[in-house]
Amino acid sequence: PLNVLHIGFSDYGSIDQSVAVTYIENELANFKSKLSAMNIRMANFFVVKFAFGVNYYNYYSDTGFKEDPISRNMRPTMPQLLEINRLSKNYDLERLPAVGRNAYMFLGREKVIGTAKGKGQDRPQVLYLRCISLSNDITTSTGSERLVSIALDELERAFLDPRVLDSASSRVYLNVLADITQDIDKTVKSFKHIMDSLISKYATKLLKLRVDEIEVKLRVKDESLGYLPIRLIASSSSGGWLTREAYREYLDPITGQTIQYCTMTGDNDICILDPYPTSNILQLKRTTARKVGSTYAPDFLGLLEVSLINSWQTYLDSLGSSQTIPPSLFTFEELVLDRSSNELRPEKRFPGTNKIGMLAWITTMKTPQYPEGREVVIIANDVTVQSGSFGILEDEFFYKASEYARQRGIPRIFLSCNSGARIGLVEELKPKFNIAWKDPTNPFLGFDYLYLSEEDYSTLPAGTVNAIKKVNFNGEVHYVLDAIIGQANGIGVENLRGSGLIAGETSRAYNEVFTLSYVTGRSVGIGAYLNRLGQRVIQMNVGPMILTGYSALNKLLGREVYTSQDQLGGPQIMYNNGVSHEVVPNDGEGMKAVVDWLSYVPKNFNTFTPPILSSDPITRDIDFIPTKAPYDPRHMLGGTLSTDGKSFVSGFFDKNSFKEYLGGWGKSVVVGRARLGGINVGVIAVETRTVEQRIPADPGNPESRETIQLQAGQVWYPDSAYKTAQAINDFNNGENLPLLIFANWRGFSGGTRDMYNEILKFGAMIVDNLRNYKHPVFVYIPPNGELRGGAWVVIDPTINPNKMEMYADKLSRGGILEPPGICEVKYRSQEQKNNNASYRSCINRIR
C-alpha cells in the first residue's frame, strides 16, 4: 500500500513560510530511508494560524521529499483532484491569484529541452484554470451556465496579469465531486446539448479568452456497474473548434488514480491519459493566427457550427416552438487538389497538414430555411503558411475552388486573411553579390554596378542570372548583373499573373453565384481586390484592407506619416466608403453575420429561398405611420418600441427580420434585407433626416483637414445614388430577391460639387441595374412620402415593365417639381398677379 503522512501544528509564531519549508525539508531528509520503507508517497504538514487560516506544505517521494511550491497552501487531496501532475510534466507552472475558493489558476510555460523552441524568446504559454465543484447541478442548463460564467470571469482576470502574453491560450478543468444520479447516455446527450447552447451563447468571450479546451470530470450512475467516472470534453486539440466528446475513465484499483480514459464509441475506443502536451502543430498555428488578430482557418468551421446553433435557437424561440434543433447541423469535407486529374476532390484529413497557404471545404448546413441541408463552398487563406500570401499554387487552388462553387451554382464564402501576392527572392544570391563603388573610400558617391566574382558565378546553375563578363583595371573578372531570374518558379511576376487569374475568376463568380468575403486579421493587395470583386464584404474590427503597408508608404514619402494599417483600410475607412457592408467586433460575430446573410440567400443560383414560418401573421396591421416630419425609416421597416418603452410598434416587415447593410456609406439611403410573411426581400428606403458625410483628413497632406458635409433628407447624393445601384445589383446577382423600394425622394442633388462627383453617372446606374433586374420589383410611395422629378424617372416601372410595379399611398404625392420650383418655371410672379384677382386684391391691401 501507498501511505500518506499528515502532521499538524497549532502555530509557528512569526516564522516566515520559506524558513518553515526549509526546516521541514531538512528534517524529512533525516528520515528519508524510513519514509521509503513505510511506502510513504506524500508527507503533508499543515499549520493552523489562528485568525489567519491554515497553511499547507506538501512533500512527495518522487521529488526526494522536496516541497512542491505549486501545491503550497492546497489541501493534501487537492493536487490529485486537480490533476496537477498532468500539467507539470511538460510545463513550468506559476501560480496566479484566483477569486473562487475552489478555483486555482496556473500559468504554464513550455519546458525548454536543449535548443528546443522557446530558447531566447518567450515560450508558448497556456493558462490552466483548475476547479472543483461540490454541486451536482452541472447536468442542468442553469448550473452549467453558472459554472462556465464563473470560469470565464476567472480567466478574464488572469489575462490582465502582465505575466500573461497576448498569444497565450487557456484551458478549463472542472472536477465535479458530487455524484450524478442520471444514467450515462442521458448525461452525455445532456452535456452535448448544454455545451452547444453555452458555446453558442459565450462564443465571443471564449474566442477573446482563447479557450482551447473545457474538460469536465464527474461520476455518473450506471444501473449494472454502479457509479462510473466519465469525462466530458470540448476540445480544439484534434481539429475543429471545441469539438464535443465523451470518455469513460478507468481507475487504478489500488491508488484510485486515473489510468486512462477511452472514447465512448463502442468497438473503436481510443484511450488516452497523457500529460498535457506541449504545443503541437495545431497550437503553434493557432498562436500564429492569433498574433495577426485572426483565427486559425479550420477553426472557423467550428464557429460556423456555433452560429448555426444560435440561428436555430433564435428562430425556434421566435415561434415559441418546442421543436428540437436537427442533428448534424454542420458537416464538411476538405477539398484537396488531385494533381493527377487537376481537379478538386473531397477528403477527410487532419487539420494543419496542408502544404500551401490556401484551404477550401464543401460544407452542408442545416438552416431554418433549409432544414434538409444546403451546400456552401468555403475558401480560406491559411495565414500560418508564408503569411497567407498568394503564390502560384495558392492562385491555382483558389481558382479551382471558386470554379467548383460556380459550376454547381452554390454560394462561395471567402475567409480573407493574407499578405497579398508572394514576393520571392533568389536566396542563394544574397551572400554572393558585390558592389562596384565609384570610390571605395567614399560610398556617398554611389556605385557603378552590382557583380558576382568569377568563382561565385560558376557555382550558380545556368540561367539563375543574366550577367555580362567584364575585366576591371586590376584584371579581376566581374560578372555584372543585368537580370536576376532564379531557378524556382513563383518568386516574380508569375505570382502577379496568378493574381490576375483569380481576380477574373472572382469577378465571374459574382455574376454566377452568391459571393461573400469575410475580412479578418488583414487583407493586402490582391487579397483586398478579391474582397471588392466579390462585392459583398463583412469586415472585422481588426481587419484592414490595404494595397500597400503603411511602413512602405512612409518610405515612399520619406517621412513617418502613417502609424497603422487602419489609417489606410480599417473599418473607419472601408465601412464609410461602401467597400464593407458590415463591421463585426470579432470572428465569432463574423461567422454569425455570414450565417445571417446566408439566411436571405437561395441554396443555388437558379432557385429562390423558400418562405419560413413567421411569428407575424400576414394579415396583421402595420402600426408605424410615417409622418410629414422627419423620422427614422428603420422604424417604418422593422418596427420600434413605443414612446413609453412598454409595447412594440410593428413596422412593414416581420418582427426582427430587417437587417441593414452598408450603413456607414451614403447615409441618405437605407438598404438591407428583410422578410415579409416569411419571404426574403431586398429593401431600399429613404432617410428623411439630415445626415453627415465625413471625409477624413489625409495624413500624407499636412494641409488636409477632415470635412463634414451635411446632406438633406429625401435627396439622392452621389454616394447614396451609387449605394442604391450597388444594392440593386447585389439583390439581383446570386441572392435572387424580390425588391421593395420605398420611394420618398424629392430628387437628385445637382450642385456643382455633386455634378463633379458624378451623380449623373450613378443615377444612370440605377436605371441600368433596374433594367437588368430578373425578379419582381415593387416601388411604393409611403404615407406622406413624395416622389418628384428625376427621382421618379430612374425608378419608373416602364424601365422594366415585365418585372416592375408602382404603388402609392393615398396620402403620398408625386410631381415633376416641388411647388416653389413649378412657380419659378411655369407660373411666375407677374403671371400670378395678372391671372388671379384675389391675389391682386390681397397685394393691394398689404400695400
Side-chain angles (χ1 to χ4, degrees):
L2 297 177
N3 301 311
V4 178
L5 175 65
H6 297 280
I7 300 175
F9 300 93
S10 61
D11 198 346
Y12 54 70
S14 59
I15 299 176
D16 185 74
Q17 287 196 39
S18 59
V19 175
V21 165
T22 303
Y23 178 80
I24 295 172
E25 280 185 4
N26 293 336
E27 291 300 316
L28 286 174
N30 298 329
F31 296 94
K32 188 179 297 185
S33 58
K34 292 184 179 181
L35 293 171
S36 298
M38 299 169 62
N39 289 324
I40 301 293
R41 68 172 182 176
M42 182 184 79
N44 168 253
F45 291 78
F46 61 95
V47 180
V48 179
K49 298 271 293 179
F50 296 110
F52 293 100
V54 182
N55 293 332
Y56 295 92
Y57 308 97
N58 299 308
Y59 301 81
Y60 296 96
S61 59
D62 57 356
T63 62
F65 291 102
K66 300 291 185 181
E67 195 235 359
D68 178 20
I70 293 300
S71 63
R72 182 181 295 179
N73 292 328
M74 284 188 185
R75 293 176 183 270
T77 57
M78 193 64 72
Q80 285 72 38
L81 292 174
L82 300 180
E83 298 184 356
I84 303 299
N85 62 315
R86 290 180 62 203
L87 309 182
S88 58
K89 290 184 179 179
N90 287 330
Y91 289 87
D92 293 325
L93 298 178
E94 182 178 359
R95 187 95 164 263
L96 298 182
V99 173
R101 181 178 178 182
N102 293 320
Y104 297 85
M105 186 72 68
F106 302 94
L107 175 61
R109 297 181 179 87
E110 288 190 16
K111 290 186 175 180
V112 177
I113 301 174
T115 57
K117 59 182 177 286
K119 191 171 184 179
Q121 59 183 8
D122 290 321
R123 291 178 282 163
Q125 291 183 346
V126 182
L127 272 177
Y128 288 103
L129 174 62
R130 319 292 280 186
C131 310
I132 63 169
S133 173
L134 304 175
S135 172
N136 62 0
D137 63 353
I138 183 70
T139 56
T140 67
S141 298
T142 304
S144 297
E145 183 167 2
R146 174 179 59 82
L147 292 172
V148 168
S149 179
I150 291 172
L152 295 180
D153 287 345
E154 291 281 6
L155 286 173
E156 199 161 25
R157 283 187 287 268
F159 269 103
L160 298 175
D161 194 298
R163 291 169 287 185
V164 180
L165 300 178
D166 291 337
S167 58
S169 60
S170 59
R171 296 182 179 186
V172 177
Y173 170 88
L174 174 65
N175 190 343
V176 180
L177 301 183
D179 292 336
I180 307 298
T181 55
Q182 181 176 277
D183 65 70
I184 290 179
D185 288 341
K186 189 173 181 181
T187 301
V188 171
K189 289 180 181 178
S190 174
F191 167 76
K192 290 188 175 181
H193 173 73
I194 290 172
M195 286 306 297
D196 284 348
S197 176
L198 291 177
I199 290 173
S200 172
K201 183 173 182 178
Y202 291 97
T204 298
K205 210 166 186 179
L206 290 167
L207 278 173
K208 176 185 173 184
L209 300 174
R210 301 186 281 281
V211 177
D212 285 340
E213 186 171 273
I214 300 173
E215 181 178 355
V216 180
K217 177 180 179 178
L218 62 167
R219 284 166 37 96
V220 181
K221 183 179 181 181
D222 182 273
E223 291 184 359
S224 58
L225 300 175
Y227 285 97
L228 294 178
I230 66 171
R231 292 185 189 237
L232 307 173
I233 299 177
S235 175
S236 305
S237 61
S238 59
W241 186 66
L242 295 181
T243 304
R244 276 71 80 193
E245 295 289 348
Y247 298 84
R248 178 183 167 183
E249 271 194 45
Y250 293 89
L251 305 179
D252 186 308
I254 297 176
T255 65
Q257 293 295 300
T258 302
I259 303 173
Q260 61 184 5
Y261 49 88
C262 306
T263 54
M264 299 168 67
T265 53
D267 298 332
N268 299 318
D269 285 356
I270 299 174
C271 299
I272 53 174
L273 186 65
D274 296 323
Y276 280 97
T278 56
S279 297
N280 57 22
I281 185 66
L282 278 182
Q283 294 288 29
L284 293 175
K285 284 179 175 288
R286 284 194 179 100
T287 299
T288 300
R290 286 164 178 164
K291 284 180 178 178
V292 299
S294 183
T295 298
Y296 182 44
D299 290 347
F300 279 104
L301 301 175
L303 297 180
L304 281 168
E305 183 179 11
V306 167
S307 299
L308 280 172
I309 294 169
N310 183 67
S311 175
W312 270 100
Q313 288 174 337
T314 302
Y315 173 65
L316 295 176
D317 289 346
S318 70
L319 298 178
S321 172
S322 59
Q323 177 186 345
T324 58
I325 297 175
S328 303
L329 274 186
F330 184 79
T331 58
F332 63 90
E333 287 185 294
E334 188 174 353
L335 294 174
V336 179
L337 187 60
D338 186 340
R339 289 295 171 186
S340 60
S341 63
N342 202 33
E343 296 295 333
L344 293 180
R345 56 178 172 78
E347 181 180 298
K348 289 282 187 182
R349 66 175 183 177
F350 193 76
T353 57
N354 55 296
K355 304 300 182 185
I356 66 172
M358 192 69 67
L359 296 163
W361 299 270
I362 175 69
T363 67
T364 301
M365 304 181 185
K366 293 181 180 179
T367 67
Q369 294 76 25
Y370 295 100
E372 74 282 2
R374 62 176 302 169
E375 288 188 324
V376 177
V377 169
I378 298 174
I379 307 172
N381 294 116
D382 184 352
V383 75
T384 69
V385 178
Q386 297 199 53
S387 301
S389 58
F390 291 84
I392 291 177
L393 295 178
E394 285 79 10
D395 294 332
E396 180 185 6
F397 184 86
F398 183 100
Y399 177 86
K400 288 291 184 181
S402 181
E403 184 183 53
Y404 185 94
R406 193 162 46 80
Q407 290 173 345
R408 290 159 178 77
I410 57 179
R412 192 207 80 174
I413 311 298
F414 175 39
L415 307 179
S416 179
C417 182
N418 54 76
S419 56
R422 186 166 299 156
I423 302 172
L425 291 174
V426 182
E427 296 294 333
E428 60 270 27
L429 201 61
K430 285 182 178 179
K432 298 181 185 296
F433 76 90
N434 296 289
I435 305 170
W437 300 102
K438 291 182 179 296
D439 181 355
T441 63
N442 187 3
F444 292 101
L445 295 177
F447 64 95
D448 290 323
Y449 53 82
L450 302 179
Y451 69 93
L452 296 173
S453 68
E454 187 171 22
E455 180 184 357
D456 287 336
Y457 181 77
S458 63
T459 63
L460 296 175
T464 301
V465 297
N466 287 344
I468 302 169
K469 186 176 181 180
K470 179 179 179 180
V471 179
N472 70 358
F473 61 90
N474 291 327
E476 296 176 346
V477 177
H478 289 182
Y479 282 87
V480 180
L481 293 173
D482 181 52
I484 299 171
I485 302 166
Q487 295 294 311
N489 189 26
I491 63 171
V493 293
E494 56 268 32
N495 291 336
L496 300 180
R497 182 178 175 86
S499 295
L501 172 72
I502 59 178
E505 166 58 30
T506 301
S507 178
R508 190 178 304 113
Y510 174 74
N511 291 319
E512 298 183 20
V513 295
F514 172 79
T515 56
L516 173 63
S517 298
Y518 172 66
V519 182
T520 172
R522 59 167 184 254
S523 194
V524 183
I526 181 59
Y529 272 111
L530 291 177
N531 301 328
R532 176 56 190 167
L533 288 166
Q535 301 292 334
R536 305 173 188 88
V537 178
I538 300 171
Q539 186 176 14
M540 201 252 280
N541 270 337
V542 186
M545 281 182 281
I546 58 175
L547 298 181
T548 305
Y550 76 93
S551 56
L553 284 177
N554 288 339
K555 293 278 187 183
L556 188 66
L557 294 170
R559 62 183 192 279
E560 294 295 318
V561 173
Y562 299 101
T563 58
S564 75
Q565 313 288 26
D566 284 337
Q567 285 180 285
L568 304 172
Q572 75 276 14
I573 301 295
M574 294 301 174
Y575 186 56
N576 293 336
N577 68 9
V579 171
S580 294
H581 291 58
E582 184 179 2
V583 173
V584 293
N586 55 63
D587 289 332
E589 290 297 315
M591 293 304 97
K592 181 179 181 298
V594 168
V595 170
D596 286 346
W597 205 323
L598 284 171
S599 70
Y600 298 107
V601 177
K603 67 189 304 182
N604 61 56
F605 189 73
N606 298 313
T607 62
F608 298 92
T609 309
I612 61 173
L613 292 176
S614 172
S615 58
D616 280 350
I618 58 175
T619 56
R620 66 179 172 84
D621 291 332
I622 299 174
D623 298 329
F624 185 88
I625 304 298
T627 62
K628 290 184 178 181
Y631 60 90
D632 189 341
R634 297 161 190 82
H635 296 166
M636 175 184 69
L637 302 175
T640 184
L641 291 175
S642 61
T643 52
D644 60 8
K646 296 181 179 179
S647 59
F648 181 73
V649 179
S650 64
F652 194 92
F653 297 106
D654 298 347
K655 186 177 180 180
N656 297 326
S657 73
F658 172 72
K659 184 169 183 179
E660 183 179 1
Y661 291 90
L662 293 169
W665 174 51
K667 295 180 182 178
S668 63
V669 165
V670 175
V671 304
R673 290 149 185 86
R675 295 184 186 90
L676 185 61
I679 300 173
N680 290 337
V681 294
V683 183
I684 298 175
V686 184
E687 178 60 80
T688 62
R689 301 166 297 176
T690 299
V691 296
E692 291 182 348
Q693 180 191 30
R694 290 178 176 268
I695 303 173
D698 182 2
N701 179 4
E703 303 301 321
S704 175
R705 298 290 184 273
E706 182 183 58
T707 303
I708 299 177
Q709 298 177 358
L710 296 180
Q711 295 181 338
Q714 299 177 269
V715 177
W716 257 318
Y717 291 86
D719 56 351
S720 54
Y722 189 9
K723 176 179 177 177
T724 304
Q726 173 75 60
I728 294 170
N729 216 25
D730 289 344
F731 298 150
N732 192 35
N733 288 329
E735 300 186 42
N736 300 352
L737 292 175
L739 172 58
L740 267 71
I741 301 176
F742 292 83
N744 188 11
W745 285 283
R746 294 156 51 203
F748 287 87
S749 177
T752 300
R753 183 188 296 271
D754 295 323
M755 292 298 288
Y756 181 79
N757 287 333
E758 307 170 89
I759 192 167
L760 196 60
K761 179 193 296 184
F762 300 134
M765 285 176 61
I766 297 174
V767 177
D768 290 336
N769 292 345
L770 285 175
R771 180 183 60 81
N772 294 320
Y773 211 81
K774 297 172 288 189
H775 316 291
V777 179
F778 304 96
V779 180
Y780 172 54
I781 309 176
N784 296 307
E786 53 184 313
L787 187 61
R788 303 186 186 277
W792 182 300
V793 172
V794 299
I795 58 173
D796 187 83
T798 56
I799 292 170
N800 190 349
N802 293 328
K803 300 295 182 183
M804 295 180 66
E805 295 178 355
M806 178 180 279
Y807 300 89
D809 187 85
K810 61 184 180 181
L811 297 179
S812 63
R813 295 289 183 268
I816 297 177
L817 290 175
E818 296 184 15
I822 286 285
C823 292
E824 180 65 26
V825 176
K826 287 293 186 179
Y827 197 30
R828 297 183 177 178
S829 178
Q830 189 58 45
E831 192 174 3
Q832 294 173 29
K833 294 176 184 177
N834 295 338
N835 295 344
N836 195 314
S838 62
Y839 177 84
R840 290 197 302 271
S841 63
C842 179
I843 294 298
N844 290 332
R845 284 198 302 272
I846 292 173
R847 287 175 178 173

